[in-house]
């Protein structure tokens, strides 16, 4: 059975997604909706990390329940950069690139949840299935958010 | 007839009445000193433009001057009553510092010029930018204070003519969440209830709605019910000791930013005790099972802790709401301008859906407006919507609008929702919006984080046009200032929060060369050479009545259907509620009778958004969720606010409006009685916090957040502990400029740039702050009024009085009241 492996991979990619959301948040501090919402959404992935770690033991994997943090020094440097860049025109394109990356990462996580849910149904592990049912909708919302922001921001960033 | 000081007695004399009876009339009149009704040359019909209540009144004219006002007894909204702003605010029209000629910036200075030169500058710059960059370079930031005809014309010019997606109103700061919450639950804007529901309700819940100060006359209606037989129970949700709270059966004062937890707690109790109308829910709604499952996470003991309210009060409020026969609810800025605004407001809608309390007398649900014509920006598509509540993501709706306007559907931008005001400011900041045309609003006082706002709007590379009646703080930064006419000087219609449309007639000429906003827009369209697809002028009307007729066609068949109205029908009588059609020629009192909604996927205005992320639903997602157009029950989990108290900033700041002032005090600050009643900014602190901080009444304090600081005298009031309040009306025009010279005064120096992702409404009510004492009051009281939520807890503070100049005649009906 390879459920442990999938959980380990999902643990890694949720941590990665949370980190990316925080990074994007910091890079776009002057785009306030991105800044605040990305931070809120990072917490969802951090919660998922805990849930994955909690259930992974049953499948023989020891995973860290604490989500990876962020470097505070690096954060502050990025903040400053973000403020300075706020008056330039290029951040629009940078933001599109960041949102695209978020969308791709969230899509990857979503597919992982789907695979895991399929497996959980197959072997009738309702606890695992419940974790999937609790977490996967959050991932879909993260995806739709990145996609929605992309749609909203593309025109102005590209045509102006 | 009695004479009452209506600065001291804000709501006037009681006329008690019982449940189901007609509210008696009371006609309020205030005329210039020394004049009586017999001296008036003519009375001109209008309604109030100082708040969203829609009080109908007549303007008294003598020698072609406005000399006073009188409430309209026949009106369905106010039955003759007026509030202090209605009674005294009109005097601002005649202020000596009105703008009377256009101004243009030359060598850094604003200098008087001709309309010809001013419009040439505006049109010339528009043409240049359209050539260089296209419509993405041009933005319009309008207001909640123009008339329907003007918004409709503006929306046509901006969306259908220039083709820009950047059109929004300052309604974004006041009622964007009302619209968003209604779109989430009913897939269309439009308040379900009617003001007459106050006459029938047995429980009235006011959520973050200080009705006593924001809609004085509506609150008077409740006071009269409370003074009569079978009074309703009142539920108040507000951290301040407002007059509403003082009359409440249950007052919940939650910690700022926790409204969603509170609402989920109330819904938890309603579901757990099965106070649910299952037949109604089964027949008319989707999403109940999910809600029932998710509110299990919000038992009263947990919610009481998050919100810091007594658990027993929470349970009692839920019991009253859950067992009411006729439940009325209203929502305003305490929810709209706070954290998770839309999610919290949607939960109020949910209560009405799960209890089946819609479309019947007394079962009113009103997502209120803050400004008098906010509803019209929404209807006419001047605030981030398309005209006639059309759905920007439904191609058939865009095609239909293109047919009405006789333009190509591709000429109407619909690739994403129209840009909201906060995003427009961001585009100005980064330089991709290069021309911004601001009308009748004052963003450098009313938007969040004023330092940022001033630096955005004073950029060299921005071409800023301001159309207003005074040289506001924002106008002082403009490249071109266009002098506008205002209420009483132009004709048009506007609609209040219960969909009542009033006609406002011109009473006198505007001063100097000032022009009606409608004329300015039409002049702009013609000079720019905007054409429809057959080469005819895009704007085909030149008078307000012609614009209204055009709007009627645009609204035909849509939820906000005006097709059965006319100026003639509105003239003389009372207001009329939309929809008003051939089938409903007298208008429609309540929406959604018999559980019929505007929510069909092909008809609805909006497919909704995710309440937390704000992501719009795709058409297919909506169709799958709600194929037969039912009401939509949506849940959202509580998230902590984005700025929480810390060691440096241990308190929470909320800001808000008060009874004597309106919208950056442009007019009310120029009405002597209103200005004298609340002459300067103050800060309200609780007794506990005052003791900790060593503060007494009148002490000078500095209030700081990470964004700036403001100085104000302290009022120790009954506000909940941990929270301080600043009134948000005070800016700098009357202390000589557009920005602080040293000490700040405007509350929005302090507020955070953050908004609700679903409604895009900025959050003015959760900033973390600190208060420090700067100096002793030395016997000087704070300038806060004693008559309302800012009343002092103790001490010998002189009471707020208006004196002789504030006397108002009240004529009470002798028996019953005429409708």
């Amino acid at each position: 059975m390879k459920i442990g492996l999938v959980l380990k991979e999902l643990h890694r990619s949720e941590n990665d997604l949370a980190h990316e959301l925080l990074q994007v948040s910091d890079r776009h501090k002057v785009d306030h909706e991105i800044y605040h919402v990305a931070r809120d959404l990072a917490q969802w992935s951090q919660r998922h990390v805990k849930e994955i770690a909690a259930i992974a033991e049953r499948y023989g994997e020891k995973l860290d329940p604490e989500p990876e943090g962020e470097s505070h020094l690096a954060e502050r440097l990025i903040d400053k950069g973000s403020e300075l860049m706020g008056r330039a025109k290029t951040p629009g394109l940078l933001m599109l690139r960041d949102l695209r990356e978020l969308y791709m990462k969230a899509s990857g996580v979503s597919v992982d949840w789907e695979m895991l849910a399929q497996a959980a149904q197959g072997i009738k592990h309702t606890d695992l299935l419940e974790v999937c049912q609790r977490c996967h909708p959050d991932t879909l919302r993260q995806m739709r958010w990145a996609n929605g922001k992309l749609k909203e921001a593309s025109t102005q960033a590209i045509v102006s | 007839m009695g004479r009452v000081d209506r600065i001291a007695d804000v709501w006037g004399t009681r006329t008690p009445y019982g449940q189901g009876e007609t509210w008696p009339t009371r006609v309020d009149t205030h005329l210039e000193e020394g004049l009586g009704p017999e001296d008036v040359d003519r009375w001109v019909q209008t309604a109030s433009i100082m708040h969203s209540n829609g009080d109908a009144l007549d303007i008294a004219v003598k020698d072609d001057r406005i000399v006073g006002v009188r409430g309209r007894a026949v009106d369905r909204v106010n039955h003759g009553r007026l509030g202090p702003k209605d009674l005294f605010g009109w005097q601002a029209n005649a202020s000596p510092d009105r703008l009377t000629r256009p101004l243009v910036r030359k060598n850094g200075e604003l200098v008087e010029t001709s309309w010809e030169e001013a419009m040439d500058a505006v049109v010339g710059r528009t043409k240049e930018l359209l050539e260089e960059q296209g419509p993405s370079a041009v933005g319009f930031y309008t207001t909640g204070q123009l008339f329907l005809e003007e918004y409709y014309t503006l929306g046509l010019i901006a969306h259908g003519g220039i083709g820009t997606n950047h059109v929004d109103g300052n309604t974004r700061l006041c009622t964007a969440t009302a619209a968003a919450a209604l779109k989430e639950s009913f897939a269309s804007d439009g308040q379900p209830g009617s003001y007459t529901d106050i006459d029938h309700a047995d429980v009235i819940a006011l959520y973050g709605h200080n009705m006593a100060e924001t809609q004085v006359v509506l609150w008077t209606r409740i006071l009269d019910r409370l003074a009569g037989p079978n009074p309703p129970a009142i539920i108040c949700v507000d951290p301040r000791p407002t007059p509403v709270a003082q009359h409440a059966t249950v007052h919940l004062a939650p910690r700022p930013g926790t409204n969603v937890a509170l609402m989920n707690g109330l819904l938890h109790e309603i579901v757990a005790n099965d106070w649910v109308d299952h037949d109604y829910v089964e027949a008319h709604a989707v999403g109940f099972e999910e809600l029932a499952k998710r509110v299990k996470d919000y038992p009263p003991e947990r919610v009481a802790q998050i919100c810091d309210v007594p658990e027993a009060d929470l349970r009692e409020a839920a019991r009253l709401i859950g067992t009411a026969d006729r439940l009325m609810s209203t929502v305003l800025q305490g929810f709209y301008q706070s954290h998770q605004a839309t999610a919290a407001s949607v939960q109020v809608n949910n209560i009405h859906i799960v209890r089946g309390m819609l479309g019947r007398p007394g079962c009113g649900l009103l997502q209120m407006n803050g400004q008098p014509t906010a509803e019209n920006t929404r209807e006419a598509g001047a605030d981030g919507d398309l005209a006639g509540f059309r759905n920007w993501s439904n191609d058939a709706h865009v095609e239909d609008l293109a047919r009405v306007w006789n333009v190509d559907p591709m000429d109407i931008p619909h690739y994403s929702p129209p840009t909201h005001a906060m995003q427009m400011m961001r585009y100005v900041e980064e330089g991709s919006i290069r021309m911004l045309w601001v009308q009748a609003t004052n963003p450098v006082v009313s938007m969040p984080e004023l330092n940022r706002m001033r630096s955005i709007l004073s950029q060299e590379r921005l071409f800023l046009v301001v159309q207003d009646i005074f040289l506001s703080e924002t106008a002082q930064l403009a490249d071109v200032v266009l002098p506008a006419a205002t209420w009483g000087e132009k004709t048009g219609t506007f609609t209040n929060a219960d969909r009542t449309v009033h006609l406002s007639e011109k009473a006198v000429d505007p001063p100097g060369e000032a022009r009606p906003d409608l004329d300015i827009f039409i002049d702009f369209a013609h000079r720019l050479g905007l054409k429809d697809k057959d080469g005819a002028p895009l704007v085909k009307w030149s008078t307000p009545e012609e614009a209204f007729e055009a709007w009627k066609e645009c609204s035909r068949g849509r939820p906000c259907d005006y097709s059965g109205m006319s100026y003639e029908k509105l003239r003389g009588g009372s207001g009329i509620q939309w929809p008003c059609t051939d089938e409903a020629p007298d208008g429609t009192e309540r929406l959604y009778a018999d559980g019929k909604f505007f929510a069909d996927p092909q008809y609805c205005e909006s497919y909704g958004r995710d309440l937390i992320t704000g992501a719009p639903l795709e058409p297919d997602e909506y169709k799958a969720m709600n194929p037969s157009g039912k009401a939509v029950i949506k849940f959202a989990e509580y998230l902590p606010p984005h700025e929480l108290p810390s060691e440096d900033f241990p308190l929470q700041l909320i800001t808000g409006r008060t009874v004597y002032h309106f919208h950056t005090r442009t007019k009310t600050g120029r009405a002597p009685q209103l200005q004298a009643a609340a002459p300067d900014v103050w800060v309200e602190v609780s007794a506990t916090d005052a003791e900790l901080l060593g503060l007494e009444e009148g002490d000078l304090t500095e209030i700081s957040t990470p964004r700036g600081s403001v100085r104000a005298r302290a009022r120790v009031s009954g506000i909940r502990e941990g929270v301080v309040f600043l009134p948000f009306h005070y800016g700098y025009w009357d202390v000589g400029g557009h920005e602080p010279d040293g000490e700040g005064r405007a509350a929005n120096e302090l507020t955070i740039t953050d908004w609700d992702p679903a409604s895009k409404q900025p959050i003015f009510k959760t900033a973390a702050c600190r208060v420090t004492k700067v100096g002793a009051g030395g016997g000087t009281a704070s300038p806060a009024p004693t008559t309302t939520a800012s009343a002092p807890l103790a001490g010998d503070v002189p009471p707020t009085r208006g004196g002789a100049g504030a006397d108002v005649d009240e004529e009470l009906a002798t028996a019953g009241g005429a409708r």
Side-chain angles (χ1 to χ4, degrees):
Chain A
M1 201 161 68
K2 299 157 198 84
I3 286 182
L5 274 179
V6 179
L7 282 167
K8 195 172 161 185
E9 170 56 19
L10 193 54
H11 181 265
R12 191 199 60 77
S13 53
E14 283 280 20
N15 252 325
D16 184 40
L17 178 57
H19 184 70
E20 184 70 20
L21 280 160
L22 292 172
Q23 289 282 305
V24 169
S25 166
D26 283 335
R27 272 204 289 278
H28 301 285
K29 207 167 178 181
V30 282
D31 277 290
H32 297 81
E33 189 172 321
I34 302 266
Y35 174 73
H36 289 294
V37 177
R39 299 189 88 74
D40 286 343
L41 299 194
Q43 287 176 26
W44 292 359
S45 286
Q46 291 174 337
R47 199 175 67 226
H48 297 174
V49 165
K50 286 193 180 104
E51 292 224 26
I52 294 164
I55 203 154
E57 277 196 51
R58 276 181 44 192
Y59 300 93
E61 288 290 339
K62 262 196 138 24
L63 302 173
D64 187 354
E66 275 311 302
E68 285 165 22
E70 47 183 336
S71 150
H72 288 285
L73 181 65
E75 183 193 11
R76 267 182 232 119
L77 284 173
I78 293 163
D79 277 5
K80 200 71 215 156
S82 174
E83 272 170 39
L84 292 171
M85 293 283 279
R87 294 284 166 98
K89 279 197 184 181
T90 41
L93 290 177
L94 182 69
M95 189 169 83
L96 295 185
R97 199 198 65 188
D98 280 346
L99 286 168
R100 182 176 178 279
E101 187 65 23
L102 274 179
Y103 180 74
M104 305 289 282
K105 287 198 166 163
S107 309
V109 173
S110 168
V111 173
D112 287 350
W113 279 117
E114 216 153 64
M115 293 190 298
L116 196 64
Q118 292 298 103
Q121 283 189 60
I123 54 170
K124 300 175 190 169
H125 282 195
T126 47
D127 284 6
L128 182 61
L129 187 61
E130 273 169 22
V131 173
C132 297
Q133 283 169 338
R134 229 176 4 251
C135 298
H136 191 199
D138 295 339
T139 316
L140 291 171
R141 290 166 80 186
Q142 288 168 324
M143 276 171 69
R144 290 195 195 109
W145 173 71
N147 190 40
K149 291 311 289 180
L150 266 174
K151 272 191 172 174
E152 207 179 280
S154 296
T155 315
Q156 188 76 3
I158 296 171
V159 306
S160 66
Chain B
M1 173 146 21
R3 281 176 81 77
V4 176
D5 176 347
R6 290 291 304 282
I7 291 292
D9 182 357
V10 171
W11 305 279
T13 305
R14 295 281 61 73
T15 56
Y17 71 122
Q19 187 170 22
E21 292 174 10
T22 300
W23 191 28
T25 58
R26 184 192 84 197
V27 176
D28 296 350
T29 306
H30 179 68
L31 297 173
E32 227 171 55
E33 194 85 39
L35 292 184
E38 66 285 356
D39 300 312
V40 173
D41 296 340
R42 58 180 187 275
W43 296 93
V44 180
Q45 179 178 356
T46 180
S48 174
I49 198 158
M50 292 289 183
H51 47 71
S52 66
N53 206 47
D55 303 336
L57 53 97
D58 289 329
I59 297 175
V61 180
K62 179 179 170 56
D63 301 330
D64 294 320
R65 275 190 328 112
I66 298 179
V67 294
V69 289
R70 179 178 70 190
R72 287 178 66 82
V74 295
D75 193 70
R76 65 172 304 280
V77 171
N78 60 333
H79 295 214
R81 288 164 190 77
L82 297 175
K85 280 184 271 213
D86 306 335
L87 290 161
F88 308 114
W90 52 270
Q91 299 166 99
N93 274 35
S95 294
D97 57 342
R98 278 287 298 271
L99 290 169
T100 55
R101 293 197 66 200
L103 309 173
V104 292
R105 194 167 293 280
K106 286 184 179 161
N107 303 320
E109 298 284 312
L110 282 172
V111 294
E112 288 196 351
T113 185
S114 65
W115 272 102
E116 195 67 24
E117 192 187 11
M119 289 309 286
D120 273 354
V122 175
V123 171
R125 188 67 187 137
T126 310
K127 281 182 175 164
E128 273 170 26
L129 288 172
L130 289 178
E131 196 127 305
E132 255 180 71
Q133 183 183 323
S136 69
V138 182
F140 294 88
Y141 182 43
T142 190
T143 176
Q145 296 175 52
L146 301 187
F147 293 158
L148 170 64
E149 294 78 359
E150 293 163 340
Y151 294 130
Y152 181 53
T153 307
L154 172 67
L156 166 63
I157 290 170
H159 286 305
I162 291 174
T164 178
N165 207 27
H166 310 319
V167 187
D168 202 4
N170 68 12
T171 47
R172 187 63 57 187
L173 317 180
C174 88
T175 56
T177 301
L182 293 166
K183 288 183 206 172
E184 293 299 333
S185 301
F186 308 113
S188 175
D189 198 347
Q191 293 88 344
S194 168
Y195 284 176
T196 56
D197 289 325
I198 289 177
D199 308 347
H200 302 283
D202 57 3
V203 175
I204 303 179
L206 295 96
Y207 298 95
H209 183 191
N210 184 4
M211 187 194 278
E213 293 193 64
T214 54
Q215 286 159 303
V216 167
V217 167
L218 201 61
W219 178 244
T220 304
R221 197 166 187 152
I222 291 186
L223 286 178
D224 286 350
R225 273 290 317 272
L226 291 174
N230 320 107
I234 307 288
I235 316 275
C236 170
V237 178
D238 199 317
R240 293 175 76 212
T242 63
V244 178
Q246 282 154 17
H247 286 87
T249 316
V250 182
H251 174 207
L252 299 169
R255 191 178 276 146
T258 64
N259 293 332
V260 165
L262 185 89
M263 295 311 300
N264 287 348
L266 293 175
L267 278 158
H268 173 281
E269 285 296 279
I270 288 169
V271 172
N273 290 289
D274 203 22
W275 292 317
V276 175
D277 184 340
H278 290 286
D279 291 344
Y280 187 89
V281 170
E282 180 66 29
H284 302 300
V286 295
F288 176 70
E289 290 73 22
E290 176 75 4
L291 178 86
K293 195 172 90 191
R294 303 287 297 271
V295 294
K296 286 198 176 119
D297 296 340
Y298 294 86
E301 49 274 24
R302 177 178 176 225
V303 170
Q305 206 162 32
I306 297 173
C307 303
D308 189 22
V309 297
E311 193 184 317
D313 288 358
L314 189 73
R315 287 182 192 274
E316 176 61 4
R319 190 189 64 78
L320 283 167
I321 292 166
T323 58
D325 289 324
R326 292 164 188 255
L327 170 68
M328 179 177 187
S329 303
T330 71
V331 192
L332 198 65
Q333 311 306 1
F335 274 33
Y336 299 165
Q337 293 179 340
S338 192
H339 180 59
Q340 296 195 283
T342 308
S345 306
V346 160
Q347 301 316 312
V348 179
N349 298 345
N350 285 345
I351 288 179
H352 278 259
I353 297 169
V354 304
R355 298 228 55 235
M357 296 271 172
L358 285 165
R360 290 184 286 126
C363 301
L365 166 59
L366 291 161
Q367 297 282 350
M368 287 284 179
N369 301 341
Q371 290 187 88
T373 75
E375 182 61 44
N376 304 107
T377 45
R378 284 144 62 178
E379 296 160 2
D383 75 332
D385 292 306
L386 286 187
F389 292 167
R390 284 175 177 81
N391 190 339
W392 62 269
S393 51
N394 183 335
D395 287 343
H397 287 201
V398 177
E399 274 165 34
D400 186 57
L401 186 60
R403 171 191 62 80
V404 174
W405 287 351
N406 195 33
V407 299
D408 189 285
M410 276 302 281
D411 290 341
I412 302 172
H414 57 283
Y415 45 82
S416 74
T419 316
H420 62 91
M422 302 303 295
Q423 185 64 51
M424 277 167 53
M425 290 303 175
R426 172 72 191 120
Y427 288 154
V428 172
E429 182 173 40
E430 59 152 33
S432 68
I433 287 183
R434 296 155 72 188
M435 167 175 159
L436 186 68
W437 185 339
V438 177
Q439 300 124 25
T441 186
N442 195 4
V444 302
V445 179
S446 57
M447 280 252 175
E449 207 177 341
L450 296 184
N451 242 332
R452 173 168 180 262
M453 207 43 60
R454 285 186 291 263
S455 83
I456 288 174
L457 291 181
S458 57
Q459 290 179 90
E460 274 291 312
R461 62 183 173 182
L462 171 70
F463 185 73
L464 181 66
V465 181
V466 174
Q467 179 170 324
D468 212 323
I469 67 170
F470 293 105
L471 196 67
S472 68
E473 289 86 343
T474 305
Q476 292 174 42
L477 299 175
D479 295 283
V480 178
V481 178
L482 305 173
T486 184
W487 171 93
E489 300 163 356
K490 59 178 186 178
T491 294
T493 55
F494 56 93
T495 308
N496 77 348
D498 83 342
R499 294 170 283 105
T500 304
V501 182
H502 284 113
L503 175 66
S504 177
E505 303 249 35
K506 177 176 167 175
V508 297
D509 284 328
E513 296 174 22
R515 286 183 184 174
D517 300 87
L518 182 67
D519 294 5
I520 299 173
F521 293 145
I522 294 174
D523 185 31
F524 173 70
H526 291 336
R527 284 172 192 260
L528 200 58
L530 296 179
K531 301 273 193 278
D532 68 9
K533 69 178 179 191
D534 296 324
L538 181 71
V539 183
K540 295 171 176 56
W541 48 87
S542 55
T543 67
E545 189 161 4
E546 288 164 12
F548 187 78
E549 290 297 315
W551 160 249
K552 278 165 58 178
E553 285 315 304
C554 183
S555 73
R556 188 183 290 275
R558 297 300 301 156
C560 53
D561 194 328
Y562 281 64
S563 60
M565 276 184 233
S566 66
Y567 272 22
E568 206 39 57
K569 243 168 118 171
L570 290 165
R571 206 165 267 147
S574 178
I576 299 173
Q577 287 171 290
W578 66 247
C580 175
T581 60
D582 293 344
E583 293 77 48
D586 299 322
T588 307
E589 177 125 46
R590 291 175 191 85
L591 301 181
Y592 311 146
D594 308 322
K596 292 194 179 60
F597 300 96
F598 301 130
D600 182 85
Q602 279 314 317
Y603 185 74
C604 68
E605 181 188 12
S606 168
Y607 299 131
R609 291 173 182 270
D610 186 310
L611 293 178
I612 303 277
T613 70
L617 265 71
E618 295 294 327
D620 288 344
E621 288 177 81
Y622 180 82
K623 271 178 217 159
M625 173 183 73
N626 193 21
S628 54
K630 296 180 175 181
V632 180
I633 295 174
K634 275 193 179 176
F635 171 85
E637 65 268 38
Y638 163 71
L639 297 178
H642 294 140
E643 189 171 86
L644 288 165
S646 61
E647 210 171 302
D648 278 353
F649 301 103
L651 299 166
Q652 279 186 300
L653 171 71
I654 56 175
T655 69
R657 192 180 318 163
T658 67
V659 73
Y660 302 111
H661 287 317
F662 183 66
H663 197 253
T664 73
R665 295 163 54 251
T666 313
K667 280 183 174 176
T668 50
R670 290 171 168 94
Q673 297 90 338
L674 299 174
Q675 174 63 4
D680 206 348
V681 66
W682 68 86
V683 60
E684 289 165 31
V685 290
S686 72
T688 317
D689 292 320
E691 203 178 314
L692 279 171
L693 296 162
L695 286 178
E696 282 174 31
E697 169 70 31
D699 284 352
L700 189 61
T701 71
E702 186 166 88
I703 307 97
S704 305
T705 71
R707 292 155 294 278
S709 66
V710 161
R711 286 196 175 193
R713 285 189 188 275
R715 163 64 44 89
V716 183
S717 78
I719 194 168
R720 66 155 288 151
E721 72 180 81
V723 180
V724 299
F725 172 89
L726 278 175
F728 59 40
H729 291 292
Y730 298 88
Y732 305 100
W733 60 263
D734 52 339
V735 288
H738 71 276
E739 60 187 345
D741 177 16
E743 293 158 12
R745 184 186 193 212
N748 290 17
E749 305 287 350
L750 309 180
T751 48
I752 187 172
T753 305
D754 183 12
W755 55 85
D756 177 58
S759 69
K760 318 295 182 188
Q761 180 155 350
I763 294 167
F764 291 122
K765 298 190 197 285
T766 50
C769 76
R770 78 169 158 259
V771 178
T772 45
K773 184 169 164 174
V774 177
T780 311
S782 121
T786 62
T787 44
T788 58
S790 55
L793 274 184
D796 47 348
V797 178
T800 302
R801 292 280 174 267
D807 274 354
V808 169
D809 290 325
E810 289 183 347
E811 191 179 346
L812 275 69
T814 43
R819 271 283 162 89

